[in-house]
Amino acid sequence: MTQIFAHRGYSAAYAENTMSAFIEAEKAGADGLELDVQVTKDGEVVVIHDEKVDRTTSGSGYVKNLTFKEIRMFNANKKGEKKELIPSLVEVLEWMQTNRLICNIELKNGIFPYEGMEEKVIQLVRKYDLSNRIIISSFNHYSIVLSYRMAPEIETAPLFNERIYMPWVYAQSIRAQGIHPKLSSITEEIIENSLKNGIAVRPYTVNKDADIVKLLKINCSALITDDPVKALKIRKQYEKRP
Ligand code: G3P
Ligand code: CA
């Protein structure tokens, strides 16, 4: 069965990468979450997509130049009514003790290398005993390898947005158990070959009905979507087919 992962939480209906978006994805019955992490000036791992807080919050500036205390003053739900805070990774991992979700932590260290980020994330995952429910992904594949070396018990998956040749061979070479390709960068054949070779495939960002059905049909490992409610509904109908 194809797992449904909520991209930045249930971001089609709630402010992205906020506790509400995660809680609502879990309530809806998603199998997993995808979230992005950056590191503050004082070393806190926080859940936010961009290097700067400007697009998604009421604040401004680079995450790396702000303290956690400063970051927590901003509203991460600029367009909505209810104030949301930028979550710390700790907050999310603590909440995960109350459910069975899988969590894909995307290390956003392609622009700023955030020295020690991998170690901090791994230390927290181990502290909360979540090694078997976490997938570490990144566009920074050096960081993927470093994470694997530090914590071979935690699954890793390189992200890529362009078609690469035999990605399952590449994944195996860096000891990743899965790949997270942009949907447009893969074909059904690539997915099938990856699966045959024991590499999980979780494409992003899959929001169109027809694409969801296509991936269900070939039993893709998971799909990462902004709208887990819609994807779950489609999966339910698909499972009921005669
Ligand atoms: O992890 C999949 C996807 O989230 C990668 O792209 O820009 O949405 O973080 P982006
Ligand atoms: Ca992401």
Side-chain angles (χ1 to χ4, degrees):
M1 186 184 64
T2 304
Q3 292 180 320
I4 310 290
F5 279 31
H7 185 236
R8 310 181 193 176
Y10 183 1
S11 59
Y14 297 86
E16 67 176 61
N17 283 323
T18 60
M19 285 313 296
S20 288
F22 303 145
I23 291 166
E24 294 304 325
E26 197 270 334
K27 273 196 206 157
D31 303 292
L33 301 175
E34 186 269 357
L35 55 81
D36 307 285
V37 293
Q38 312 258 358
V39 183
T40 64
K41 188 178 171 184
D42 51 348
E44 189 77 32
V45 182
V46 287
V47 183
I48 181 166
H49 182 273
D50 300 358
E51 285 67 31
K52 283 180 121 177
V53 298
D54 303 48
R55 177 181 62 87
T56 54
T57 81
S58 55
S60 70
Y62 285 103
V63 174
K64 70 177 179 68
N65 295 336
L66 294 158
T67 63
F68 183 56
K69 203 172 161 201
E70 284 166 338
I71 283 250
R72 293 288 273 189
M73 315 238 273
F74 306 148
N75 183 2
N77 185 19
K78 275 208 285 196
K79 293 174 203 144
E81 281 163 26
K82 185 182 158 213
K83 185 177 178 187
E84 298 275 358
L85 305 182
I86 296 177
S88 63
L89 183 61
V90 166
E91 196 176 354
V92 177
L93 300 183
E94 249 166 28
W95 166 73
M96 279 182 69
Q97 308 297 305
T98 67
N99 59 58
R100 297 298 311 151
L101 283 176
I102 300 166
C103 180
N104 168 205
I105 301 174
E106 182 188 344
L107 307 180
K108 281 285 185 204
N109 52 1
I111 294 178
F112 300 122
Y114 293 126
E115 180 144 10
M117 180 191 226
E118 298 86 351
E119 199 175 349
K120 274 179 201 292
V121 169
I122 288 166
Q123 190 234 323
L124 290 174
V125 171
R126 284 178 173 159
K127 180 175 170 197
Y128 288 95
D129 199 18
L130 285 166
S131 293
N132 57 359
R133 289 166 57 200
I134 297 290
I135 302 159
I136 294 178
S137 69
S138 183
F139 284 104
N140 178 347
H141 297 182
Y142 285 89
S143 182
I144 289 292
V145 173
L146 184 58
S147 300
Y148 173 77
R149 288 194 178 139
M150 282 178 176
E153 78 278 15
I154 303 174
E155 203 176 316
T156 56
L159 274 158
F160 52 85
N161 50 25
E162 278 176 3
R163 190 163 302 176
I164 65 169
Y165 187 63
M166 297 207 291
W168 60 91
V169 175
Y170 175 62
Q172 286 161 346
S173 78
I174 60 166
R175 309 290 293 270
Q177 287 168 265
I179 52 172
H180 290 188
K182 188 172 180 176
L183 182 64
S184 57
S185 78
I186 39 159
T187 60
E188 286 188 16
E189 200 186 345
I190 293 175
I191 297 176
E192 280 163 352
N193 277 320
S194 299
L195 298 178
K196 261 190 231 152
N197 283 282
I199 298 297
V201 185
R202 302 182 193 92
Y204 73 93
T205 307
V206 188
N207 291 333
K208 288 191 189 132
D209 296 28
D211 291 330
I212 294 170
V213 172
K214 241 188 240 170
L215 294 173
L216 292 172
K217 267 191 190 152
I218 56 171
N219 205 17
C220 193
S221 319
L223 59 87
I224 302 175
T225 179
D226 294 331
D227 194 343
V229 170
K230 179 171 88 168
L232 286 159
K233 204 170 142 199
I234 294 174
R235 186 174 74 180
K236 221 175 185 177
Q237 282 160 357
Y238 182 78
E239 280 168 352
K240 273 202 241 140
R241 77 199 185 283

